[in-house]
Each structure stands twice: as C-alpha cells, then as structure tokens.
mmCIF file of all heavy atoms in Angstrom:
data_model
loop_
_atom_site.group_PDB
_atom_site.id
_atom_site.type_symbol
_atom_site.label_atom_id
_atom_site.label_comp_id
_atom_site.label_asym_id
_atom_site.label_seq_id
_atom_site.Cartn_x
_atom_site.Cartn_y
_atom_site.Cartn_z
ATOM 1 N N ASN A 236 -35.907 -105.680 23.097
ATOM 2 C CA ASN A 236 -37.377 -105.753 23.131
ATOM 3 C C ASN A 236 -37.962 -104.937 24.287
ATOM 4 O O ASN A 236 -38.842 -105.387 25.015
ATOM 5 C CB ASN A 236 -37.814 -107.226 23.232
ATOM 6 C CG ASN A 236 -39.261 -107.413 22.791
ATOM 7 O OD1 ASN A 236 -39.832 -106.548 22.125
ATOM 8 N ND2 ASN A 236 -39.858 -108.532 23.159
ATOM 9 N N MET A 237 -37.438 -103.716 24.455
ATOM 10 C CA MET A 237 -37.848 -102.837 25.550
ATOM 11 C C MET A 237 -38.390 -101.508 25.020
ATOM 12 O O MET A 237 -38.396 -100.504 25.739
ATOM 13 C CB MET A 237 -36.636 -102.544 26.449
ATOM 14 C CG MET A 237 -36.195 -103.690 27.315
ATOM 15 S SD MET A 237 -37.290 -103.934 28.709
ATOM 16 C CE MET A 237 -36.967 -102.464 29.662
ATOM 17 N N GLU A 238 -38.818 -101.485 23.766
ATOM 18 C CA GLU A 238 -39.132 -100.203 23.121
ATOM 19 C C GLU A 238 -40.194 -99.371 23.842
ATOM 20 O O GLU A 238 -40.029 -98.172 24.025
ATOM 21 C CB GLU A 238 -39.545 -100.445 21.657
ATOM 22 C CG GLU A 238 -38.351 -100.725 20.769
ATOM 23 C CD GLU A 238 -38.737 -101.464 19.503
ATOM 24 O OE1 GLU A 238 -39.068 -102.652 19.586
ATOM 25 O OE2 GLU A 238 -38.704 -100.834 18.434
ATOM 26 N N SER A 239 -41.299 -100.008 24.239
ATOM 27 C CA SER A 239 -42.397 -99.230 24.829
ATOM 28 C C SER A 239 -42.057 -98.677 26.210
ATOM 29 O O SER A 239 -42.310 -97.512 26.494
ATOM 30 C CB SER A 239 -43.670 -100.076 24.879
ATOM 31 O OG SER A 239 -44.108 -100.319 23.563
ATOM 32 N N LYS A 240 -41.456 -99.504 27.053
ATOM 33 C CA LYS A 240 -41.075 -99.034 28.402
ATOM 34 C C LYS A 240 -40.031 -97.918 28.296
ATOM 35 O O LYS A 240 -40.105 -96.918 29.016
ATOM 36 C CB LYS A 240 -40.528 -100.192 29.241
ATOM 37 C CG LYS A 240 -41.581 -101.199 29.646
ATOM 38 C CD LYS A 240 -40.975 -102.338 30.449
ATOM 39 C CE LYS A 240 -42.030 -103.389 30.763
ATOM 40 N NZ LYS A 240 -41.497 -104.522 31.527
ATOM 41 N N HIS A 241 -39.078 -98.109 27.400
ATOM 42 C CA HIS A 241 -38.044 -97.094 27.202
ATOM 43 C C HIS A 241 -38.660 -95.802 26.665
ATOM 44 O O HIS A 241 -38.308 -94.704 27.095
ATOM 45 C CB HIS A 241 -36.983 -97.620 26.230
ATOM 46 C CG HIS A 241 -35.975 -96.594 25.821
ATOM 47 N ND1 HIS A 241 -35.063 -96.048 26.706
ATOM 48 C CD2 HIS A 241 -35.734 -95.994 24.617
ATOM 49 C CE1 HIS A 241 -34.303 -95.157 26.067
ATOM 50 N NE2 HIS A 241 -34.688 -95.111 24.805
ATOM 51 N N SER A 242 -39.609 -95.941 25.759
ATOM 52 C CA SER A 242 -40.232 -94.772 25.136
ATOM 53 C C SER A 242 -41.013 -93.925 26.145
ATOM 54 O O SER A 242 -40.859 -92.709 26.190
ATOM 55 C CB SER A 242 -41.164 -95.210 24.002
ATOM 56 O OG SER A 242 -41.761 -94.076 23.407
ATOM 57 N N ILE A 243 -41.846 -94.578 26.963
ATOM 58 C CA ILE A 243 -42.629 -93.798 27.936
ATOM 59 C C ILE A 243 -41.703 -93.129 28.944
ATOM 60 O O ILE A 243 -41.893 -91.972 29.319
ATOM 61 C CB ILE A 243 -43.710 -94.647 28.654
ATOM 62 C CG1 ILE A 243 -44.568 -93.801 29.605
ATOM 63 C CG2 ILE A 243 -43.140 -95.822 29.417
ATOM 64 C CD1 ILE A 243 -45.361 -92.706 28.970
ATOM 65 N N GLU A 244 -40.637 -93.835 29.335
ATOM 66 C CA GLU A 244 -39.697 -93.256 30.304
ATOM 67 C C GLU A 244 -38.953 -92.058 29.702
ATOM 68 O O GLU A 244 -38.847 -91.000 30.323
ATOM 69 C CB GLU A 244 -38.701 -94.330 30.739
ATOM 70 C CG GLU A 244 -37.763 -93.857 31.829
ATOM 71 C CD GLU A 244 -36.904 -94.985 32.373
ATOM 72 O OE1 GLU A 244 -36.391 -95.794 31.585
ATOM 73 O OE2 GLU A 244 -36.747 -95.051 33.594
ATOM 74 N N LYS A 245 -38.483 -92.229 28.490
ATOM 75 C CA LYS A 245 -37.711 -91.169 27.838
ATOM 76 C C LYS A 245 -38.579 -89.943 27.550
ATOM 77 O O LYS A 245 -38.178 -88.813 27.857
ATOM 78 C CB LYS A 245 -37.115 -91.703 26.530
ATOM 79 C CG LYS A 245 -36.241 -90.677 25.805
ATOM 80 C CD LYS A 245 -35.597 -91.266 24.558
ATOM 81 C CE LYS A 245 -34.789 -90.209 23.818
ATOM 82 N NZ LYS A 245 -34.112 -90.752 22.627
ATOM 83 N N GLN A 246 -39.765 -90.153 26.999
ATOM 84 C CA GLN A 246 -40.631 -89.019 26.649
ATOM 85 C C GLN A 246 -41.104 -88.282 27.906
ATOM 86 O O GLN A 246 -41.201 -87.056 27.910
ATOM 87 C CB GLN A 246 -41.819 -89.481 25.799
ATOM 88 C CG GLN A 246 -41.440 -90.112 24.452
ATOM 89 C CD GLN A 246 -40.424 -89.296 23.674
ATOM 90 O OE1 GLN A 246 -39.221 -89.535 23.738
ATOM 91 N NE2 GLN A 246 -40.895 -88.314 22.939
ATOM 92 N N THR A 247 -41.378 -89.034 28.961
ATOM 93 C CA THR A 247 -41.796 -88.385 30.217
ATOM 94 C C THR A 247 -40.658 -87.517 30.750
ATOM 95 O O THR A 247 -40.872 -86.366 31.144
ATOM 96 C CB THR A 247 -42.226 -89.429 31.267
ATOM 97 O OG1 THR A 247 -43.198 -90.299 30.702
ATOM 98 C CG2 THR A 247 -42.833 -88.762 32.488
ATOM 99 N N ALA A 248 -39.448 -88.062 30.740
ATOM 100 C CA ALA A 248 -38.275 -87.308 31.207
ATOM 101 C C ALA A 248 -38.119 -85.993 30.445
ATOM 102 O O ALA A 248 -37.767 -84.958 31.019
ATOM 103 C CB ALA A 248 -37.017 -88.158 31.063
ATOM 104 N N HIS A 249 -38.397 -86.026 29.142
ATOM 105 C CA HIS A 249 -38.218 -84.843 28.298
ATOM 106 C C HIS A 249 -39.345 -83.822 28.442
ATOM 107 O O HIS A 249 -39.130 -82.630 28.247
ATOM 108 C CB HIS A 249 -38.076 -85.266 26.829
ATOM 109 C CG HIS A 249 -36.713 -85.775 26.487
ATOM 110 N ND1 HIS A 249 -35.748 -85.002 25.872
ATOM 111 C CD2 HIS A 249 -36.119 -86.978 26.707
ATOM 112 C CE1 HIS A 249 -34.642 -85.718 25.702
ATOM 113 N NE2 HIS A 249 -34.837 -86.916 26.208
ATOM 114 N N PHE A 250 -40.569 -84.282 28.751
ATOM 115 C CA PHE A 250 -41.723 -83.369 28.681
ATOM 116 C C PHE A 250 -42.237 -82.845 30.021
ATOM 117 O O PHE A 250 -42.981 -81.865 30.042
ATOM 118 C CB PHE A 250 -42.877 -84.030 27.923
ATOM 119 C CG PHE A 250 -42.690 -83.999 26.420
ATOM 120 C CD1 PHE A 250 -42.313 -85.146 25.732
ATOM 121 C CD2 PHE A 250 -42.880 -82.830 25.697
ATOM 122 C CE1 PHE A 250 -42.127 -85.123 24.349
ATOM 123 C CE2 PHE A 250 -42.707 -82.797 24.321
ATOM 124 C CZ PHE A 250 -42.325 -83.951 23.638
ATOM 125 N N VAL A 251 -41.883 -83.494 31.143
ATOM 126 C CA VAL A 251 -42.378 -82.974 32.437
ATOM 127 C C VAL A 251 -41.658 -81.668 32.787
ATOM 128 O O VAL A 251 -40.650 -81.318 32.184
ATOM 129 C CB VAL A 251 -42.182 -83.997 33.593
ATOM 130 C CG1 VAL A 251 -43.124 -85.171 33.463
ATOM 131 C CG2 VAL A 251 -40.733 -84.437 33.703
ATOM 132 N N ASP A 252 -42.189 -80.984 33.803
ATOM 133 C CA ASP A 252 -41.575 -79.719 34.230
ATOM 134 C C ASP A 252 -40.208 -79.949 34.871
ATOM 135 O O ASP A 252 -39.302 -79.135 34.718
ATOM 136 C CB ASP A 252 -42.480 -79.007 35.239
ATOM 137 C CG ASP A 252 -43.801 -78.594 34.612
ATOM 138 O OD1 ASP A 252 -43.779 -78.077 33.474
ATOM 139 O OD2 ASP A 252 -44.862 -78.819 35.231
ATOM 140 N N CYS A 253 -40.083 -81.067 35.600
ATOM 141 C CA CYS A 253 -38.827 -81.324 36.307
ATOM 142 C C CYS A 253 -38.539 -82.825 36.312
ATOM 143 O O CYS A 253 -39.368 -83.619 36.755
ATOM 144 C CB CYS A 253 -38.934 -80.797 37.739
ATOM 145 S SG CYS A 253 -37.439 -81.049 38.708
ATOM 146 N N PHE A 254 -37.373 -83.186 35.806
ATOM 147 C CA PHE A 254 -36.956 -84.586 35.758
ATOM 148 C C PHE A 254 -35.896 -84.815 36.830
ATOM 149 O O PHE A 254 -34.909 -84.083 36.892
ATOM 150 C CB PHE A 254 -36.407 -84.917 34.362
ATOM 151 C CG PHE A 254 -35.784 -86.273 34.236
ATOM 152 C CD1 PHE A 254 -36.434 -87.405 34.716
ATOM 153 C CD2 PHE A 254 -34.532 -86.431 33.635
ATOM 154 C CE1 PHE A 254 -35.859 -88.668 34.605
ATOM 155 C CE2 PHE A 254 -33.951 -87.696 33.506
ATOM 156 C CZ PHE A 254 -34.617 -88.810 33.995
ATOM 157 N N THR A 255 -36.107 -85.812 37.687
ATOM 158 C CA THR A 255 -35.145 -86.066 38.768
ATOM 159 C C THR A 255 -34.752 -87.537 38.804
ATOM 160 O O THR A 255 -35.465 -88.400 38.293
ATOM 161 C CB THR A 255 -35.713 -85.679 40.161
ATOM 162 O OG1 THR A 255 -36.595 -86.714 40.622
ATOM 163 C CG2 THR A 255 -36.458 -84.357 40.116
ATOM 164 N N THR A 256 -33.618 -87.794 39.437
ATOM 165 C CA THR A 256 -33.213 -89.175 39.711
ATOM 166 C C THR A 256 -32.564 -89.215 41.087
ATOM 167 O O THR A 256 -32.473 -88.193 41.762
ATOM 168 C CB THR A 256 -32.299 -89.735 38.597
ATOM 169 O OG1 THR A 256 -32.157 -91.134 38.804
ATOM 170 C CG2 THR A 256 -30.932 -89.076 38.595
ATOM 171 N N VAL A 257 -32.107 -90.405 41.511
ATOM 172 C CA VAL A 257 -31.767 -90.590 42.925
ATOM 173 C C VAL A 257 -30.269 -90.662 43.224
ATOM 174 O O VAL A 257 -29.874 -90.789 44.380
ATOM 175 C CB VAL A 257 -32.459 -91.859 43.482
ATOM 176 C CG1 VAL A 257 -33.966 -91.671 43.493
ATOM 177 C CG2 VAL A 257 -32.084 -93.088 42.668
ATOM 178 N N SER A 258 -29.419 -90.632 42.190
ATOM 179 C CA SER A 258 -27.973 -90.670 42.446
ATOM 180 C C SER A 258 -27.223 -90.139 41.231
ATOM 181 O O SER A 258 -27.770 -90.100 40.121
ATOM 182 C CB SER A 258 -27.516 -92.104 42.738
ATOM 183 O OG SER A 258 -27.631 -92.894 41.561
ATOM 184 N N ASP A 259 -25.983 -89.770 41.447
ATOM 185 C CA ASP A 259 -25.155 -89.274 40.337
ATOM 186 C C ASP A 259 -24.883 -90.372 39.316
ATOM 187 O O ASP A 259 -24.840 -90.117 38.118
ATOM 188 C CB ASP A 259 -23.821 -88.720 40.875
ATOM 189 C CG ASP A 259 -24.038 -87.445 41.692
ATOM 190 O OD1 ASP A 259 -24.969 -86.681 41.347
ATOM 191 O OD2 ASP A 259 -23.302 -87.231 42.670
ATOM 192 N N ILE A 260 -24.724 -91.604 39.796
ATOM 193 C CA ILE A 260 -24.434 -92.707 38.883
ATOM 194 C C ILE A 260 -25.645 -92.992 37.972
ATOM 195 O O ILE A 260 -25.503 -93.254 36.784
ATOM 196 C CB ILE A 260 -23.965 -93.969 39.658
ATOM 197 C CG1 ILE A 260 -23.217 -94.912 38.729
ATOM 198 C CG2 ILE A 260 -25.090 -94.676 40.376
ATOM 199 C CD1 ILE A 260 -22.416 -95.984 39.448
ATOM 200 N N THR A 261 -26.859 -92.879 38.547
ATOM 201 C CA THR A 261 -28.067 -93.067 37.732
ATOM 202 C C THR A 261 -28.258 -91.886 36.794
ATOM 203 O O THR A 261 -28.764 -92.035 35.673
ATOM 204 C CB THR A 261 -29.309 -93.258 38.630
ATOM 205 O OG1 THR A 261 -29.011 -94.219 39.638
ATOM 206 C CG2 THR A 261 -30.502 -93.748 37.826
ATOM 207 N N ASN A 262 -27.816 -90.718 37.226
ATOM 208 C CA ASN A 262 -27.904 -89.540 36.358
ATOM 209 C C ASN A 262 -27.043 -89.716 35.101
ATOM 210 O O ASN A 262 -27.432 -89.291 34.010
ATOM 211 C CB ASN A 262 -27.490 -88.281 37.131
ATOM 212 C CG ASN A 262 -27.883 -87.014 36.395
ATOM 213 O OD1 ASN A 262 -28.791 -87.018 35.555
ATOM 214 N ND2 ASN A 262 -27.206 -85.935 36.685
ATOM 215 N N ASN A 263 -25.876 -90.360 35.255
ATOM 216 C CA ASN A 263 -25.048 -90.666 34.079
ATOM 217 C C ASN A 263 -25.806 -91.564 33.107
ATOM 218 O O ASN A 263 -25.742 -91.381 31.890
ATOM 219 C CB ASN A 263 -23.745 -91.373 34.503
ATOM 220 C CG ASN A 263 -22.797 -90.417 35.195
ATOM 221 O OD1 ASN A 263 -22.894 -89.207 35.018
ATOM 222 N ND2 ASN A 263 -21.891 -90.958 35.998
ATOM 223 N N GLU A 264 -26.519 -92.524 33.671
ATOM 224 C CA GLU A 264 -27.363 -93.425 32.878
ATOM 225 C C GLU A 264 -28.424 -92.629 32.111
ATOM 226 O O GLU A 264 -28.661 -92.869 30.927
ATOM 227 C CB GLU A 264 -28.070 -94.373 33.849
ATOM 228 C CG GLU A 264 -27.906 -95.839 33.555
ATOM 229 C CD GLU A 264 -28.649 -96.677 34.589
ATOM 230 O OE1 GLU A 264 -28.146 -96.826 35.726
ATOM 231 O OE2 GLU A 264 -29.741 -97.169 34.262
ATOM 232 N N CYS A 265 -29.065 -91.699 32.807
ATOM 233 C CA CYS A 265 -30.111 -90.879 32.189
ATOM 234 C C CYS A 265 -29.556 -90.057 31.027
ATOM 235 O O CYS A 265 -30.153 -89.980 29.954
ATOM 236 C CB CYS A 265 -30.755 -89.949 33.220
ATOM 237 S SG CYS A 265 -31.608 -90.821 34.538
ATOM 238 N N LYS A 266 -28.395 -89.445 31.268
ATOM 239 C CA LYS A 266 -27.744 -88.633 30.222
ATOM 240 C C LYS A 266 -27.499 -89.456 28.970
ATOM 241 O O LYS A 266 -27.776 -89.025 27.852
ATOM 242 C CB LYS A 266 -26.394 -88.099 30.748
ATOM 243 C CG LYS A 266 -26.474 -86.706 31.324
ATOM 244 C CD LYS A 266 -25.087 -86.189 31.728
ATOM 245 C CE LYS A 266 -24.803 -86.541 33.174
ATOM 246 N NZ LYS A 266 -23.622 -85.890 33.754
ATOM 247 N N GLU A 267 -26.936 -90.650 29.156
ATOM 248 C CA GLU A 267 -26.537 -91.487 28.021
ATOM 249 C C GLU A 267 -27.716 -92.205 27.369
ATOM 250 O O GLU A 267 -27.793 -92.289 26.147
ATOM 251 C CB GLU A 267 -25.503 -92.529 28.471
ATOM 252 C CG GLU A 267 -24.154 -91.932 28.824
ATOM 253 C CD GLU A 267 -23.452 -91.272 27.646
ATOM 254 O OE1 GLU A 267 -23.671 -91.702 26.494
ATOM 255 O OE2 GLU A 267 -22.703 -90.305 27.866
ATOM 256 N N LEU A 268 -28.627 -92.756 28.174
ATOM 257 C CA LEU A 268 -29.651 -93.657 27.637
ATOM 258 C C LEU A 268 -30.984 -92.966 27.364
ATOM 259 O O LEU A 268 -31.762 -93.413 26.518
ATOM 260 C CB LEU A 268 -29.861 -94.841 28.592
ATOM 261 C CG LEU A 268 -28.602 -95.676 28.867
ATOM 262 C CD1 LEU A 268 -28.878 -96.736 29.925
ATOM 263 C CD2 LEU A 268 -28.083 -96.326 27.591
ATOM 264 N N LEU A 269 -31.263 -91.882 28.085
ATOM 265 C CA LEU A 269 -32.517 -91.145 27.863
ATOM 266 C C LEU A 269 -32.261 -89.819 27.141
ATOM 267 O O LEU A 269 -33.198 -89.074 26.858
ATOM 268 C CB LEU A 269 -33.236 -90.863 29.193
ATOM 269 C CG LEU A 269 -33.576 -92.070 30.075
ATOM 270 C CD1 LEU A 269 -34.277 -91.618 31.356
ATOM 271 C CD2 LEU A 269 -34.452 -93.075 29.333
ATOM 272 N N ASP A 270 -30.987 -89.519 26.884
ATOM 273 C CA ASP A 270 -30.589 -88.253 26.248
ATOM 274 C C ASP A 270 -31.095 -87.046 27.025
ATOM 275 O O ASP A 270 -31.452 -86.020 26.451
ATOM 276 C CB ASP A 270 -31.110 -88.190 24.792
ATOM 277 C CG ASP A 270 -30.559 -89.324 23.946
ATOM 278 O OD1 ASP A 270 -29.406 -89.723 24.187
ATOM 279 O OD2 ASP A 270 -31.289 -89.829 23.075
ATOM 280 N N LYS A 271 -31.145 -87.178 28.355
ATOM 281 C CA LYS A 271 -31.616 -86.062 29.180
ATOM 282 C C LYS A 271 -31.051 -86.203 30.585
ATOM 283 O O LYS A 271 -31.401 -87.149 31.294
ATOM 284 C CB LYS A 271 -33.163 -86.088 29.228
ATOM 285 C CG LYS A 271 -33.801 -85.147 30.248
ATOM 286 C CD LYS A 271 -34.023 -83.757 29.665
ATOM 287 C CE LYS A 271 -34.878 -82.880 30.555
ATOM 288 N NZ LYS A 271 -34.171 -82.349 31.738
ATOM 289 N N PRO A 272 -30.151 -85.302 30.986
ATOM 290 C CA PRO A 272 -29.700 -85.350 32.385
ATOM 291 C C PRO A 272 -30.818 -84.878 33.306
ATOM 292 O O PRO A 272 -31.696 -84.116 32.886
ATOM 293 C CB PRO A 272 -28.520 -84.367 32.404
ATOM 294 C CG PRO A 272 -28.757 -83.443 31.259
ATOM 295 C CD PRO A 272 -29.549 -84.206 30.221
ATOM 296 N N ALA A 273 -30.794 -85.335 34.541
ATOM 297 C CA ALA A 273 -31.807 -84.910 35.514
ATOM 298 C C ALA A 273 -31.669 -83.417 35.806
ATOM 299 O O ALA A 273 -30.561 -82.877 35.803
ATOM 300 C CB ALA A 273 -31.643 -85.711 36.796
ATOM 301 N N ASP A 274 -32.800 -82.768 36.049
ATOM 302 C CA ASP A 274 -32.777 -81.356 36.459
ATOM 303 C C ASP A 274 -32.286 -81.239 37.901
ATOM 304 O O ASP A 274 -31.733 -80.215 38.295
ATOM 305 C CB ASP A 274 -34.178 -80.748 36.327
ATOM 306 C CG ASP A 274 -34.668 -80.785 34.887
ATOM 307 O OD1 ASP A 274 -33.954 -80.276 34.005
ATOM 308 O OD2 ASP A 274 -35.754 -81.342 34.634
ATOM 309 N N ALA A 275 -32.530 -82.298 38.678
ATOM 310 C CA ALA A 275 -32.052 -82.324 40.068
ATOM 311 C C ALA A 275 -31.850 -83.771 40.486
ATOM 312 O O ALA A 275 -32.609 -84.645 40.077
ATOM 313 C CB ALA A 275 -33.082 -81.666 40.990
ATOM 314 N N VAL A 276 -30.790 -83.992 41.271
ATOM 315 C CA VAL A 276 -30.565 -85.325 41.834
ATOM 316 C C VAL A 276 -31.082 -85.306 43.276
ATOM 317 O O VAL A 276 -30.606 -84.528 44.101
ATOM 318 C CB VAL A 276 -29.064 -85.716 41.796
ATOM 319 C CG1 VAL A 276 -28.819 -87.033 42.533
ATOM 320 C CG2 VAL A 276 -28.578 -85.827 40.355
ATOM 321 N N LEU A 277 -32.108 -86.116 43.547
ATOM 322 C CA LEU A 277 -32.722 -86.173 44.880
ATOM 323 C C LEU A 277 -32.301 -87.475 45.540
ATOM 324 O O LEU A 277 -32.837 -88.538 45.235
ATOM 325 C CB LEU A 277 -34.251 -86.114 44.775
ATOM 326 C CG LEU A 277 -34.865 -84.947 43.992
ATOM 327 C CD1 LEU A 277 -36.367 -85.119 43.885
ATOM 328 C CD2 LEU A 277 -34.531 -83.616 44.666
ATOM 329 N N MET A 278 -31.330 -87.387 46.431
ATOM 330 C CA MET A 278 -30.836 -88.589 47.109
ATOM 331 C C MET A 278 -31.948 -89.192 47.977
ATOM 332 O O MET A 278 -32.709 -88.464 48.612
ATOM 333 C CB MET A 278 -29.646 -88.245 48.010
ATOM 334 C CG MET A 278 -28.475 -87.637 47.267
ATOM 335 S SD MET A 278 -27.650 -88.862 46.247
ATOM 336 C CE MET A 278 -26.295 -87.887 45.576
ATOM 337 N N ASN A 279 -32.004 -90.511 48.029
ATOM 338 C CA ASN A 279 -32.951 -91.178 48.927
ATOM 339 C C ASN A 279 -32.546 -90.918 50.373
ATOM 340 O O ASN A 279 -31.365 -90.883 50.701
ATOM 341 C CB ASN A 279 -32.963 -92.692 48.676
ATOM 342 C CG ASN A 279 -33.663 -93.050 47.375
ATOM 343 O OD1 ASN A 279 -34.582 -92.355 46.950
ATOM 344 N ND2 ASN A 279 -33.241 -94.128 46.744
#
C-alpha cells in the first residue's frame, strides 16, 4: 500500500536532470526498486 509515495519517488528519479543518493548500499536499492541507479553518490 505504498503506490503513491513509490510513484512520485520513482518518476522524480527518472525525470530530473541529476538523481543522487547518499551511499553505495542505497544506490543498490535505487537500481533494484526504482529501476534507476543514481547519477552520483553524494556521501553525507
């Protein structure tokens, strides 16, 4: 029951100029669950 939150997150990741995340482990999550690897990993 997470369709809307997942949808806005996934579509934003696909349509912005640059998609980033904060770690390699989260990037694996993005690849698998959002079907889009980050363009850059920005460590905190």
Side-chain angles (χ1 to χ4, degrees):
N236 200 17
M237 287 285 292
E238 283 158 288
S239 293
K240 290 179 184 179
H241 172 67
S242 180
I243 183 62
E244 185 173 43
K245 182 177 177 178
Q246 298 312 95
T247 307
H249 281 261
F250 281 105
V251 289
D252 296 316
C253 180
F254 172 48
T255 79
T256 191
V257 294
S258 68
D259 292 327
I260 200 165
T261 312
N262 194 23
N263 288 338
E264 234 180 283
C265 297
K266 265 184 269 191
E267 290 296 331
L268 302 174
L269 303 180
D270 300 326
K271 169 87 169 76
D274 298 306
V276 173
L277 306 175
M278 301 289 183
N279 287 329

